[in-house]
Amino acid sequence: MRRTGVPYAFLAPALVLFAAFLAAPIGYSIYLSLRRVKVSGLGLGRGARTEVWAGLGNYTRSLSDAEFLPSVVRVGAYGLVVVPVMLGLALLMALLLDAGRTRVGTFARTSIFLPYAIPAVIASLLWGFLYLPRVSPIVDALQGAGIQPPDALSSSWVLYAVANIAIWGGTGFNMIVLYTALRAIPTEMVEASRLDGASDVQIAWRIKIPIITPSLIMTFVFSLIATLQVFAEPMTLRPLSNTISTTWTPLMKVYRDAFTRNDIYSAAATSVIIAVATFAISFGFLRLVGTRAFGQEN
């Protein structure tokens, strides 16, 4: 009895924390998404506002909101920019570091990873002031060279301005993951390829990248989830530009409904929709490519 109970004793703190800070909030959000406030009379006095069952009404209202679909499309366009560029840069940097093209490997890895250690709000404020024409040293330098830069916070460029912050901050983390996977490749395999006359590009394309495909899939899923939940960057940049609305992303719409309109029931329904969509897309992608990739690894 004592021997069989030891594993559960070690798991108990993690299970309690999981239940208290993850499972319980999720369950409460689902509960709120199925409720609504019923107002009687003028809504004044005790008992004038009561919480009643709403069924799927909040979900219908969220999905039919005219501002919800544009925010989803905007996040989709944002993801098409962020995910390929960020993972491409991370893979390129990891391959260059693994190939030994730089003699300052530790310094290079730390420099590339450092932006990830900066909180998203701080990074957004930093880049926000670099985007503002009146205070940006980059704009001053370009204008001094006779180049008129575009307004990064204009309606035509704001999507790329937000994407740039995410790429700058996330490339280092993905690079470390891919670099760690590259370091696990047996050196004998690489040396044998060199003896056969393979170049660095051929080794990277035909040996290294296929072997680290599971790590690429993992970083892609993490990046996809982060893209669908983008919030801090546009929310921080919003006071600096009128091109970012309160519903620029779905999570910003959740924030507006919950804390500006005081409609926590609609906000909870939208949150559940985002969570289900994130799970479905991530799980669907893993089902599509994960089995073959991880099967090849085994």
Side-chain angles (χ1 to χ4, degrees):
M1 290 286 293
R2 186 181 303 170
R3 191 173 301 162
T4 57
V6 169
Y8 297 101
F10 280 110
L11 288 173
L15 293 176
V16 170
L17 292 174
F18 174 83
F21 296 103
L22 188 63
I26 291 175
Y28 186 58
S29 296
I30 296 174
Y31 168 79
L32 287 177
S33 69
L34 301 173
R35 310 286 288 179
R36 67 179 179 87
V37 171
K38 181 180 179 181
V39 180
S40 302
L42 297 176
L44 304 176
R46 179 176 298 180
R49 294 174 176 268
T50 57
E51 188 179 275
V52 298
W53 178 259
L56 299 179
N58 290 323
Y59 292 93
T60 303
R61 191 151 52 96
S62 295
L63 291 173
S64 60
D65 193 327
E67 297 173 319
F68 180 71
L69 183 58
S71 69
V72 173
V73 173
R74 199 175 293 115
V75 166
Y78 167 85
L80 290 176
V81 175
V82 171
V83 177
V85 174
M86 181 169 61
L87 293 185
L89 289 174
L91 179 60
L92 177 62
M93 293 175 182
L95 289 171
L96 290 176
L97 289 172
D98 185 64
R101 291 185 177 275
T102 175
R103 299 289 179 247
V104 285
T106 303
F107 175 77
R109 290 194 301 270
T110 304
S111 300
I112 298 171
F113 178 77
L114 189 60
Y116 179 74
I118 300 175
V121 174
I122 303 300
S124 301
L125 285 174
L126 169 66
W127 279 101
F129 285 107
L130 291 177
Y131 291 151
L132 290 175
R134 293 185 178 180
V135 297
S136 174
I138 298 176
V139 174
D140 292 340
L142 291 175
Q143 290 178 344
I147 302 174
Q148 183 60 37
D151 184 1
L153 296 179
S154 64
S155 58
S156 302
W157 290 92
V158 68
L159 178 69
Y160 303 101
V162 177
N164 174 66
I165 301 174
I167 294 169
W168 180 78
T171 300
F173 170 79
N174 293 298
M175 182 275 295
I176 291 295
V177 173
L178 298 177
Y179 178 74
T180 303
L182 288 170
R183 298 296 293 175
I185 298 176
T187 55
E188 296 83 2
M189 185 180 299
V190 177
E191 293 300 328
S193 303
R194 294 189 189 279
L195 291 175
D196 289 338
S199 64
D200 288 339
V201 175
Q202 290 173 326
I203 292 173
W205 184 254
R206 296 178 181 272
I207 297 177
K208 293 183 178 181
I209 294 178
I211 290 177
I212 66 169
T213 297
S215 297
L216 282 169
I217 292 174
M218 182 183 69
T219 54
F220 180 88
V221 172
F222 286 166
S223 301
L224 182 64
I225 293 173
T227 297
L228 295 174
Q229 298 178 351
V230 58
F231 175 79
E233 294 86 351
M235 194 69 180
T236 306
L237 291 178
R238 185 173 170 270
L240 304 179
S241 173
N242 58 7
T243 58
I244 300 178
S245 65
T246 57
T247 58
W248 202 79
T249 68
L251 278 185
M252 291 179 67
K253 179 181 180 300
V254 171
Y255 181 88
R256 184 206 63 178
D257 291 344
F259 300 106
T260 302
R261 295 185 174 181
N262 200 28
D263 187 1
I264 60 173
Y265 307 99
S266 178
T270 307
S271 299
V272 173
I273 292 172
I274 296 172
V276 171
T278 302
F279 173 79
I281 294 174
S282 303
F283 183 75
F285 176 78
L286 287 175
R287 290 281 294 178
L288 180 65
V289 302
T291 302
R292 185 182 67 176
F294 288 96
Q296 288 177 353
E297 186 187 40
N298 298 328

